[in-house]
Each structure stands twice: as structure tokens, then as C-alpha cells.
Amino acid sequence: MTVAAAACWCAPAAAQAAPAESGAGAQAPCLPGAVTSDDHAVASQLRPAMNGRRLGGSVNGRSIACARAIVAAVKARGLAPRAAVIAVTTAIAESTLHNHAVVYDHDSLGLFQQRPSQGWGRPDQLLDVEYATNAFLSSMLRKYPGDTWMRGDIGAICQRVQRSAYPAAYSPEAHDAELIVAQLWDRPAAPGLSSAPAAATGPFQRALIAAGTQLGTLEGRHEVALTDWNGDGRPDLLVVKGSPTVTGRTEVRIMDGATDFTSLLLDRPTALGATDDRHAYSFADWNGDKRPDLVVVQRSGTASGKAEISVLDGATAYRQVLLQTATALPATDGNHRFTATDWNGDNRPDLVVTRVSGAAGGRMEVQVLDGASTFQKHLLPVTVTAEPASTDHRVIVTDLNNDRHPDLVVVEESGTVEGKTRLRALDGASNLQRKLLEADTAPGATTHLDMLITDWNDDKRPDLMMIQKTGTASGRSELVILDGR
């Protein structure tokens, strides 16, 4: 699955100004090529029944071509037709389905009259109907989690997303939008735009959000994590760069989850010098102050001949060291993965060590070191799991089923465009001897993506974040979150 096609800047919109004047000024085409004869036929068929204030009987082939592009983007997200009705209602009210390429009020552009100054995207992006529609949908999904947008007044939903100075502008256009979407939903997709068949059911089939961050491409070694940095109840994106850095130190950047990762919460060097491939990073609250601390494991090359741990204080933006110690674990190699998490419920982060390859039995092995003993004792001795050894699979430690026991999630990535990414989870409460989950994501190649798990929409179900750090069309890091329901 590539992220670029669905990426959007999804900051909360500022209040929109007056709807743009219809039919005036320069317009960007909504689709490659000319408006089709089918577009003109649909317009002619619908015109007698259209009664909205903005579009109504003036609907034409160009209007339908732009609506068709919106519908295609909605279907590509795997959303229900009502999402298309909401989006088309908004576009009728805002622009009369004209993709305005010149500014009429403030800096609003495009079908949805989105404003670059308010974080919706660059001007050229807002004229790309697929991008603009995805920006609108991502904001709607954030403000209406758990499919709550499937009920309620359509005009009120449009207004909450757009935050318009004219809140009454939307409802009168919903009737026309419903007619248009009903005609277009089962017709062929717009040329040049992706389309999806009937939405797949099950976990990890539907995108909750597709977003571009304000980070550039993350070339070189950057590790990413999700945790609530600022205590607002939303997962934030933390990026650790060990080397090379301008400061010569390990650096941390944090993007605000409440703005769909479009604003920066922190960007600074830490108290730790440069780190490299011998180091692994994790975040956990070590000292109980409800701020995530940075746990850095040096797996080899230490003076003690053991794996060593440094914990940097989140409350000081990682400028103070809380702990530096050798552990009971001998020096390890690159086949070992490290996660700091509270394994035994004593409110101290423990160290989960997963050996993904190289064990004699050909299986993944897990052991847990006790944080309360500053990692000198084992909570879980070396335990052989049912998972075959593989350096190609990612491992994520998280409480998948909300039983207060961290579980082990193995992500088997797809190497082909037609393939699917498979997730298998082992139950921490059974010391990883029982399978909790086996599920495939929507199709798409994912070997180039980083994987994280979070409850993005607060429905107590784990969602899957995929991050593309390089090679995006926007030149920035992009991400998509798949719904775990």
C-alpha cells in the first residue's frame, strides 16, 4: 500500500468565507481530458429534479465531471456513499462544483474552498480533486470517529468540517448531492483516478486518515513511535534520529496528532550523543510523571560487555538522563528487537527482547527484563513462540486486546503490489502461547513502510499506521491509518 495517493494536510480548517461565485474566473479541470458525453447525459437527466440554491438547474457536464472525481476518491477510501453525499454537498455549497484556480475570498481554492494558510495544503494540491477530497474526508473522519458521520444532519456535518461563516449554506444542497451521487456511484471511475470495488469488511481494510506530515523525507536512520506526548489524549508521532545530525547528538522531533501531524510539538537534540545501528529506541513513562521518556538500548559495543540502557527524561525534553545501566542481557546482535513497556503491571517499564532470527529452534524467542530491578532480573525467561524466525517481519509489542497485558504482534509485510500485509498477534496473558489475531490488510506493497499500532479513533480497537518516510510524490513523509474494526 502506498501512501502518496491518499496523503493530505489535515489541519483543522479555519472558518470559510463566503462561498465562491459560480462560473467565474479560471478553473482547473477536475479530470484529465475533456468532459465526457456521459457527464453531459447525467446532467441532462438530473436537471429537472435539481432544486438547490447554488447549483440546481444549472448543473452541466463539467459539474458532473467534478462530482465524479469526488465520488471516485471516496470509493478509493472504502467509504460508504453517504461520505460522497457529504463531500459533494460541501463542494456544491462552497464552489458550485467549480475547481476555482484563483482566489475569491481570503486564500480559498478548489472545489472545497480550502485555505493553504489554514493547513489544508499547498495551492497546487488543493486544485487536485483527489487530494482535496481526501483532505476533506480525513477531517470528517477525525471529527466523527467510529462512523458517526453515517447519521445526523448532512449540513451540520459539512459545517463542522468546514467551520464556515455561513453554516446554513450546506443543508439546501444535500438533495442535489444525493441525486448526483445516486447516479454516479455505480458508474465507471473517473479517468486517471483510483477506484475501489465494494468496500472490504474486517479489520485493516478501511483508511481512517491519510495525511502528509510537515516533516521532509526521513532519509537515513530515523525511528518512529506513537505516544501521547502532550497529554491531550491523541497519539503524537515521535521521530528519533541517531546520526548523522547537525548537533552531533541524538535528536527527537514530535508531530502533533491533534492536527493530523501537521504541526511540530518538539524539535531538539537530547542529552545523548550520536547513536547508530547498535542502538534501539522506545518510549515509556519511566518515572511516573505521565510524560513519555526515551529508552535507548545499546545492544553491543559496550564497556560492560552487556546490553546497556539509557533513559532520558521526557519532562525535560530529553535533556536530562534518568538512568544509565548495564542490563542482565549479554551483548546481542541485529536479530534482537527491544520494546520498553510495563509487562507485569507494576507501573515500571520493563524491557521486552524479541529474537526474530538465529535461535536454534528456528522460532522467534521472547524474554522480559524487570524494570523494577533496573533490568537485572527476568520477569519472563527465554520463551519460544510459535512464530517462525524471520528478519523480514516486524514485531510490535502492544496491548492489543485491552487486558493490561502487552501482546506480541508480528507484521508479515507484502513484497508485491497484489499482496496483503498479514498481522498475527500472540497473547501476552498466556506468555505468548496463544494466538489472539490473524488478519490481512487491504492489498498493497508495504515492504518500504514503517508500521505502528495505535487506537487512533478511540474505539478501543487497535488501528494500524503505515508510514512512508521516503519516495513520496509530495517530498514529505506520508502516512495512512487503517481501521482495526
Side-chain angles (χ1 to χ4, degrees):
M1 175 176 295
T2 58
V3 177
C8 60
W9 312 97
C10 304
Q16 301 293 307
E21 293 297 323
S22 63
Q27 299 172 36
C30 290
L31 300 171
V35 177
T36 68
S37 58
D38 191 43
D39 294 327
H40 290 296
V42 170
S44 296
Q45 181 180 352
L46 292 179
R47 193 172 295 119
M50 300 274 282
N51 60 13
R53 298 174 183 172
R54 295 279 292 157
L55 185 61
S58 66
V59 63
N60 57 28
R62 183 187 292 271
S63 311
I64 298 302
C66 288
R68 189 191 299 274
I70 292 173
V71 169
V74 172
K75 292 178 75 174
R77 286 285 285 265
L79 297 175
R82 194 172 204 258
V85 173
I86 295 168
V88 173
T89 297
T90 302
I92 292 174
E94 293 287 357
S95 68
T96 325
L97 286 173
H98 288 83
N99 197 18
H100 289 294
V102 296
V103 169
Y104 288 95
D105 196 89
H106 297 287
D107 56 343
S108 303
L109 289 167
L111 286 173
F112 297 91
Q113 290 292 281
Q114 293 154 325
R115 299 180 60 186
S117 65
Q118 300 301 323
W120 285 98
R122 302 189 309 268
D124 61 302
Q125 291 174 319
L126 300 182
L127 298 179
D128 179 337
V129 178
E130 188 173 14
Y131 177 97
T133 304
N134 273 297
F136 176 86
L137 294 172
S138 293
S139 182
M140 180 187 76
L141 293 174
R142 165 57 69 80
K143 293 177 179 180
Y144 290 88
D147 289 343
T148 53
W149 54 271
M150 288 290 290
R151 56 186 180 270
D153 179 68
I154 285 178
I157 296 172
C158 300
Q159 166 61 15
R160 187 174 178 190
V161 175
Q162 297 291 98
R163 295 170 58 189
S164 173
Y166 299 86
Y170 302 106
S171 290
E173 314 308 331
H175 169 264
D176 287 0
E178 289 171 349
L179 293 177
I180 292 172
V181 172
Q183 281 292 315
L184 297 181
W185 189 258
D186 292 323
R187 289 175 179 263
L193 289 178
S194 56
S195 180
T201 58
F204 314 120
Q205 302 301 312
R206 183 173 68 91
L208 290 171
I209 176 178
T213 72
Q214 289 287 19
L215 298 170
T217 56
L218 300 178
E219 304 285 352
R221 181 145 190 260
H222 293 78
E223 297 297 324
V224 292
L226 283 168
T227 191
D228 182 6
W229 159 258
N230 57 354
D232 65 352
R234 304 298 308 192
D236 305 307
L237 181 65
L238 293 82
V239 182
V240 182
K241 185 175 184 182
S243 61
T245 61
V246 174
T247 61
R249 295 188 169 274
T250 298
E251 297 178 351
V252 173
R253 279 181 285 178
I254 303 176
M255 307 304 299
D256 186 11
T259 65
D260 292 345
F261 313 109
T262 60
S263 62
L264 192 66
L265 292 174
L266 181 75
D267 184 5
R268 65 182 52 181
T270 71
L272 198 64
T275 51
D276 53 31
D277 288 344
R278 298 171 300 168
H279 296 79
Y281 315 100
S282 188
F283 289 89
D285 181 8
W286 173 256
N287 56 355
D289 64 354
K290 301 189 184 304
R291 296 298 296 271
D293 306 309
L294 174 60
V295 181
V296 182
V297 180
Q298 184 173 345
R299 58 170 62 90
S300 63
T302 62
S304 65
K306 305 275 190 178
E308 295 184 354
I309 284 185
S310 299
V311 181
L312 306 184
D313 184 19
T316 65
Y318 309 113
R319 289 174 293 182
Q320 179 177 328
V321 178
L322 293 174
L323 176 73
Q324 283 186 321
T325 185
T327 72
L329 188 70
T332 62
D333 56 24
N335 290 327
H336 292 74
R337 309 287 186 262
F338 300 87
T339 306
T341 188
D342 183 6
W343 182 265
N344 60 348
D346 66 351
N347 296 318
R348 293 301 296 269
D350 309 304
L351 186 66
V352 180
V353 184
T354 306
R355 188 176 187 179
V356 298
S357 184
R363 301 282 177 179
M364 289 190 185
E365 296 180 348
V366 176
Q367 56 184 305
V368 182
L369 300 181
D370 183 18
S373 71
T374 60
F375 311 107
Q376 304 307 307
K377 298 178 180 179
H378 274 84
L379 287 174
L380 181 72
V382 175
T383 298
V384 179
T385 74
E387 277 296 319
S390 175
T391 57
D392 294 331
H393 297 172
R394 298 178 185 267
V395 294
I396 303 170
V397 179
T398 187
D399 182 7
L400 202 71
N401 57 350
N402 296 304
D403 66 350
R404 301 184 184 276
H405 287 89
D407 309 304
L408 181 71
V409 182
V410 178
V411 183
E412 183 178 344
E413 298 168 322
S414 163
T416 65
V417 173
E418 298 80 12
K420 297 183 178 182
T421 297
R422 175 160 294 177
L423 280 75
R424 293 184 295 274
L426 302 179
D427 185 16
S430 70
N431 286 336
L432 310 176
Q433 299 308 299
R434 184 172 67 87
K435 185 179 291 186
L436 273 180
L437 169 76
E438 183 164 354
D440 291 339
T441 70
T446 55
T447 52
H448 61 304
L449 305 181
D450 277 24
M451 308 281 180
L452 299 170
I453 288 179
T454 182
D455 180 9
W456 177 255
N457 56 354
D458 200 28
D459 64 354
K460 310 302 181 186
R461 299 295 296 271
D463 306 310
L464 179 65
M465 175 184 281
M466 299 179 173
I467 304 173
Q468 185 171 346
K469 297 191 289 189
T470 61
T472 63
S474 67
R476 296 181 177 272
S477 300
E478 298 174 351
L479 58 89
V480 63
I481 300 177
L482 300 181
D483 189 357
R485 287 195 303 127

